[in-house]
Amino acid sequence: MKVMLLLLFFCCLLGFYNPTPTKQTADVYLIPVLHGLHKTNPHYNYESLRAVIDSLNPEIIAVELRPEDITQDTMYLKRNYPKEMWMMQYWFPEKEIAGIDWLGPDIEGTPIPEKYWSETAEIKNLERKLAADSLYNHKIQQCYTFQEKRMRLLKNLSLIDLLKSHEAALTLQQYACYEETLHGSPYEGITAFYLKRNQKLLENIETLRHANPTKTIVVLTGADHYAWLLDKLAHKPLYRNN
């Protein structure tokens, strides 16, 4: 008995014995959401999204809201964000809701002006100019074939079927097409902006993960961002493909 106690004592000193190992990194679940398509997709609507999150029972729900907008009122949030993002605080009032989005350096750290998207947002003005440019609008048509295929999936599939589908691969092909087509044009700032936004999302998620190593985190992000994050963010799958 004395020998066993001595061995246990020395194991503890050497760090070999850990009867209750602590969780070192947060469990992160990455979930693609559909924004307005949740209203019409019968297999992946708002209620089914809510049920999935409820089943995971996370301590933190990370959403596409800027951190500086988390405490804004409902009218402000409705004006600037998709329903599933700002509704999380009402669906899960007992959970911590964390903002992970970034919408550009011009409004960083300040409220979004009331007519920002329709009048002053640089990225939206650039997209409107592209839509009005017949030459580049014709060139970019080739990229829309990927979008059309994606939309057929996004409008009809359940969340699990969507995760099993090739929608994420189509998304990457679509944005690669945009980047190639717009490279060197007056509109290449569009793809540069969305790449920067994806990078900021990843940085913010990783910061949240490292700050909460013992917690379960659900990350909600649009399907476009999900495809980019998929192989860059360590996360737990919602299903096993076997």
Side-chain angles (χ1 to χ4, degrees), residues 5 9 52 65 78 92 102 110 112 122 132 157 171 173 176 186 203-204 207 225 227 229 241:
L5 289 172
F9 175 73
V52 168
L65 271 65
K78 276 185 177 181
F92 300 99
W102 178 87
T110 63
I112 303 170
E122 183 178 344
L157 295 185
T171 302
Q173 290 176 295
E203 290 173 14
N204 291 340
T207 298
H225 306 297
L229 290 167
N241 190 16

Side-chain angles (χ1 to χ4, degrees), residues 4-223:
M4 289 296 294
L5 289 172
L6 284 171
L7 285 174
L8 181 59
F9 175 73
F10 283 115
C11 284
C12 289
L13 286 179
L14 295 172
F16 295 143
Y17 180 70
N18 186 7
T20 54
T22 56
K23 189 175 170 185
Q24 296 301 309
T25 58
D27 288 335
V28 174
Y29 292 92
L30 183 61
I31 300 179
V33 295
L34 308 183
H35 301 334
L37 291 179
H38 283 301
K39 296 176 185 177
T40 55
N41 184 331
H43 304 112
Y44 187 21
N45 54 28
Y46 291 118
E47 285 306 310
S48 57
L49 170 62
R50 185 176 179 178
V52 168
I53 297 170
D54 193 46
S55 69
L56 295 172
N57 192 28
E59 286 94 351
I60 302 174
I61 304 172
V63 295
E64 276 181 21
L65 271 65
R66 300 184 309 160
E68 55 265 51
D69 287 336
I70 283 290
T71 58
Q72 291 283 354
D73 62 51
T74 304
M75 186 176 296
Y76 173 96
L77 296 175
K78 276 185 177 181
R79 189 168 65 239
N80 293 295
Y81 295 103
K83 178 179 178 179
E84 70 271 19
M85 299 302 178
W86 58 264
M87 273 299 293
M88 287 298 144
Q89 61 183 311
Y90 301 107
W91 288 346
F92 300 99
E94 75 284 4
K95 307 294 186 183
E96 178 183 346
I97 309 298
I100 55 170
D101 209 349
W102 178 87
L103 296 174
D106 56 326
I107 54 170
E108 201 164 12
T110 63
I112 303 170
E114 189 165 341
K115 295 183 179 180
Y116 178 73
W117 302 112
S118 60
E119 295 182 1
T120 60
E122 183 178 344
I123 183 62
K124 293 303 178 184
N125 287 333
L126 201 55
E127 288 174 343
R128 282 188 281 269
K129 288 179 182 177
L130 172 60
D133 187 322
S134 58
L135 174 62
Y136 274 97
N137 202 9
H138 176 73
K139 286 183 177 181
I140 210 169
Q141 289 295 320
Q142 62 182 320
C143 306
Y144 293 158
T145 57
F146 301 112
Q147 184 175 2
E148 289 166 1
K149 292 176 182 177
R150 290 182 60 217
M151 290 302 289
R152 287 196 287 271
L153 300 175
L154 295 171
K155 287 180 177 180
N156 295 289
L157 295 185
S158 67
L159 173 58
I160 296 302
D161 286 339
L162 189 62
L163 296 176
K164 293 178 180 179
S165 76
H166 58 297
E167 193 279 329
L170 288 170
T171 302
L172 295 180
Q173 290 176 295
Q174 177 186 339
Y175 279 90
C177 182
Y178 287 157
E179 186 172 3
E180 182 180 355
T181 305
L182 298 179
H183 179 71
S185 78
Y187 311 108
E188 65 181 352
I190 294 174
T191 53
F193 172 84
Y194 286 110
L195 175 59
K196 181 69 172 178
R197 188 178 175 197
N198 283 335
Q199 291 169 338
K200 286 286 190 178
L201 284 166
L202 179 59
E203 290 173 14
N204 291 340
I205 296 166
E206 292 291 9
T207 298
L208 184 65
R209 179 212 295 272
H210 291 311
N212 299 277
T214 64
K215 295 183 178 179
T216 297
I217 303 171
V218 162
V219 176
L220 302 181
T221 185

